[in-house]
Amino acid sequence: MNVISLGYRTDLMVLASAGSVIVDRPSHLVVRTPSNPDFWWGNFVLFDAPPGPGDAERWSAVFAREFPEAEHLALGVDGTRGDAGDAGERARLGTTTEVDSVLTASRLVPPSRPAPEDLQIRPLSGDDDWEQAVRLRFDCDELGLTVEHRTFLERRVADHRRLCEAGHGVWFGAFTEGRMRAGTGVFGAGDGLARFQNVETHPAFRRRGLASALVHHAGLWGLRELGARMLVIVADPGYHAIDVYRRLGFADAEHQVRLCRAPAPTRSD
């Protein structure tokens, strides 16, 4: 399958570098992340076109065959224009539809907002830094920290650390008041591309210029040290962070479609 979506192409390159297994079928790709089976977008099927009449049953069967033990359903839709396909088929799948913006930049504009005077942006190094990255991920999470979800987040940070230690990129921390308050990773994605991962800022330290300074710093590193000709970042079009990226010089290039159904809640009775 020839993937045309820039968002998915860079997703797949980063996932493969981290150890995910990608199986190519004629009309779809199967992506597996054995180290983290609860990572929905590390264990999904990417189809080559939006769902049309009759596809709900077929797509569900494909996913069930490839992931017989999965409790979630995660289906990617290749494309660039944000076409999510037949609404009736999506209703039959029981999925929510996410259409994210894929933004790109070949050069960056310095942040206009001053950052805190004590701000230090540097690559993470050593156990203490990475433990702070885990804590930041917990503090930024909005889904509720069940035991299972904490394990998922810890595994994701461990995946990112392995990527960095294998030389595929760098995870930067923004440190102020003595602690890591924001973080992001930037990784080589092949073909002159560098992909951002998980730009996050502690809720109590937002709107202070940390994210702007961090993304600008990490982006310059990607252009210089990775030799990237283009930076790629994916963002929720309805969330304020996308305006930060646009002010730094990122421009909307494509849309990325994801269909997802979360596992059914566990009953406590």
Side-chain angles (χ1 to χ4, degrees):
M1 173 179 159
N2 180 36
V3 179
I4 63 173
S5 162
L6 183 60
Y8 278 117
R9 280 167 48 205
T10 51
D11 277 337
L12 294 171
M13 289 296 294
V14 174
L15 286 166
S17 296
S20 296
V21 178
I22 301 171
V23 180
D24 193 352
R25 311 289 193 205
S27 64
H28 61 273
L29 294 179
V30 180
V31 182
R32 292 190 180 88
T33 303
S35 64
N36 197 352
D38 294 325
F39 177 24
W40 301 344
W41 293 108
N43 297 278
F44 71 101
V45 178
L46 175 63
F47 288 94
D48 62 357
D55 278 339
E57 183 176 356
R58 181 174 68 88
W59 286 22
S60 293
V62 169
F63 189 87
R65 182 173 65 249
E66 299 289 354
F67 299 97
E69 297 182 0
E71 297 181 359
H72 72 284
L73 176 66
L75 307 169
V77 179
D78 192 24
T80 61
R81 297 188 297 176
D83 182 1
D86 188 286
E89 294 300 308
R90 286 185 278 123
R92 280 184 277 278
L93 285 166
T95 55
T96 58
T97 302
E98 300 175 10
V99 181
D100 290 326
S101 295
V102 181
L103 300 94
T104 62
S106 57
R107 63 180 65 184
L108 295 177
V109 178
S112 59
R113 183 173 187 171
E117 291 185 1
D118 70 335
L119 180 65
Q120 180 187 22
I121 298 174
R122 59 173 174 79
L124 301 193
S125 176
D127 291 344
D128 181 66
D129 279 359
W130 285 102
E131 287 169 7
Q132 289 194 53
V134 171
R135 172 51 56 188
L136 177 64
R137 189 69 55 88
F138 289 169
D139 290 338
C140 293
D141 189 78
E142 298 177 351
L143 295 180
L145 289 176
T146 62
V147 172
E148 294 80 6
H149 195 56
R150 289 174 69 96
T151 299
F152 157 72
L153 294 175
E154 289 169 344
R155 287 173 174 170
R156 287 298 292 142
V157 173
D159 286 342
H160 291 144
R161 182 174 185 175
R162 283 193 294 271
L163 270 172
C164 294
E165 292 177 347
H168 296 293
V170 165
W171 204 272
F172 289 94
F175 294 80
T176 184
E177 298 183 11
R179 301 290 295 175
M180 181 178 172
R181 305 301 188 182
T184 191
V186 61
F187 298 97
D191 298 327
L193 302 171
R195 172 67 186 267
F196 277 86
Q197 296 277 282
N198 294 82
V199 180
E200 52 197 357
T201 305
H202 190 287
F205 288 82
R206 291 173 183 167
R207 303 187 185 278
R208 299 191 188 186
L210 271 66
S212 295
L214 177 66
V215 171
H216 183 258
H217 183 100
L220 291 181
W221 182 90
L223 293 169
R224 182 181 65 250
E225 300 299 329
L226 292 177
R229 297 187 301 274
M230 181 182 293
L231 304 171
V232 181
I233 196 166
V234 178
D236 179 346
Y239 191 60
H240 64 82
I242 197 169
D243 295 323
V244 172
Y245 309 147
R246 289 169 176 157
R247 286 194 293 270
L248 291 172
F250 283 89
D252 296 66
E254 299 179 359
H255 292 92
Q256 182 178 17
V257 178
R258 303 192 298 180
L259 310 179
C260 186
R261 187 179 70 226
T266 302
R267 295 183 61 175
S268 59
D269 56 1

